[in-house]
Amino acid sequence: MLDFLKYFFGKGDAVEFENFTLAHFAPILLAVALIFLIYRYRNSIRDMKRERFFRYALAFGLIISEMSYYWRLIAMPSLDPNPVDHLPISVCGWVAIFGSYMLIGKSQTLFDFSYFWALSGSVFALITPAVITYTGPTRFRYYQFWAEHLLGFVAVFYMIFVHKMRPTFKSLVKAYAGLVVLAGVAYYANCLIGPGANYLFMARPESTPSILDILPSNFALRLLIMAAVISALFFVMYLPWYITNKKNGK
């Protein structure tokens, strides 16, 4: 039993997860199906007397998926749980936190952050999940990763479809400013910790396959391209709502 637990909660020495395989697409398709069901039955869910239990369950799942990442590190000394290498400086982690409190309190402000940060930032983790290269479907980390990331998207669309939350231009500005602050914290942490630190993937490409591998290693150029892409994505994510408001004369 002990050997199984060490294996399940540990990681391999060789590649166990490959991009664009069944193990990659299956969780995403499952999340898409769940979002579709939420959309399909949005009115029924909204009118339920105990609708809040749906939100609370989803919020609980988000919090547990985020916290279990750190619990695993603490329980497995072989994973080298160095605190400076695992600081809470990630877009995906904060989307999980913001999303959980958004669901519980039906907070428009936290929706603003969750919407733009998830659809403009966390989406890269879904395209190339570099952090689970050595943990395939037989490992806990594989399921923790997908739960943390995909439940954030489910939470955002739940609030859109069921509670009719909408982003505004002020939402865009607020979320973008927050991301700039987080990027500043990540840059400071990378400089302070030195070699090995790569929060928000700003310092260098990862050693495992990632969509960010196409970026140059030069810091200034890398930062400029990342800022341009993120800025474009923020506006793309707001564009459908802008067009809708224009059509409705708002």
Side-chain angles (χ1 to χ4, degrees):
M1 185 63 178
L2 183 60
D3 289 339
F4 168 77
L5 292 176
K6 288 182 178 179
Y7 173 85
F8 183 64
F9 288 102
K11 67 176 183 178
D13 297 321
V15 172
E16 296 185 2
F17 174 87
E18 295 184 0
N19 295 326
F20 315 122
T21 60
L22 179 61
H24 187 172
F25 291 125
I28 297 175
L29 292 175
L30 181 62
V32 170
L34 181 55
I35 291 171
F36 172 78
L37 289 174
I38 291 172
Y39 171 77
R40 175 68 178 79
Y41 298 102
R42 61 193 183 282
N43 295 327
S44 299
I45 296 173
R46 186 186 306 120
D47 295 337
M48 290 180 62
K49 291 183 178 180
R50 298 188 177 183
E51 177 272 333
R52 68 181 185 277
F53 290 124
F54 280 92
R55 288 184 287 110
Y56 291 176
L58 190 51
F60 181 76
L62 273 168
I63 286 294
I64 292 298
S65 64
E66 170 65 10
M67 293 306 300
S68 62
Y69 171 78
Y70 298 99
W71 295 338
R72 169 176 169 265
L73 292 175
I74 294 172
M76 298 288 294
S78 61
L79 297 175
D80 188 25
N82 187 343
V84 298
D85 293 331
H86 301 282
L87 296 174
I89 310 175
S90 72
V91 171
C92 302
W94 281 107
V95 167
I97 295 170
F98 289 156
S100 61
Y101 285 100
M102 168 193 72
L103 288 162
I104 293 172
K106 293 192 288 188
S107 169
Q108 178 65 45
T109 297
L110 293 180
F111 169 82
D112 296 340
F113 280 93
S114 299
Y115 176 83
F116 285 104
W117 284 24
L119 274 65
S120 302
S122 294
V123 67
F124 291 110
L126 304 187
I127 298 172
T128 52
V131 296
I132 59 171
T133 298
Y134 299 102
T135 51
T138 60
R139 309 274 190 176
F140 171 81
R141 172 64 168 139
Y142 171 86
Y143 297 97
Q144 181 275 324
F145 170 87
W146 288 113
E148 176 188 358
H149 289 76
L150 293 176
L151 286 179
F153 284 86
V154 173
V156 166
F157 284 103
Y158 183 93
M159 299 308 289
I160 291 174
F161 295 143
V162 178
H163 291 282
K164 301 182 180 181
M165 286 192 171
R166 302 290 185 265
T168 64
F169 184 74
K170 288 184 178 179
S171 303
L172 184 153
V173 174
K174 182 168 37 178
Y176 194 87
L179 188 59
V180 170
V181 171
L182 185 64
V185 173
Y187 173 73
Y188 178 74
N190 290 338
C191 293
L192 187 65
I193 298 171
N198 192 24
Y199 289 108
L200 297 191
F201 304 100
M202 293 174 63
R204 64 184 186 283
E206 283 291 285
S207 58
T208 51
S210 167
I211 192 173
L212 299 178
D213 291 345
I214 62 177
L215 297 179
S217 57
N218 178 273
F219 173 76
L221 188 56
R222 184 180 181 84
L223 185 61
L224 180 62
I225 294 174
M226 291 177 70
V229 171
I230 292 297
S231 299
L233 285 173
F234 265 62
F235 282 103
V236 168
M237 291 303 108
Y238 175 64
L239 187 59
W241 306 104
Y242 173 80
I243 294 173
T244 300
N245 290 337
K246 282 296 183 180
K247 286 183 176 180
N248 295 333
K250 294 182 180 180

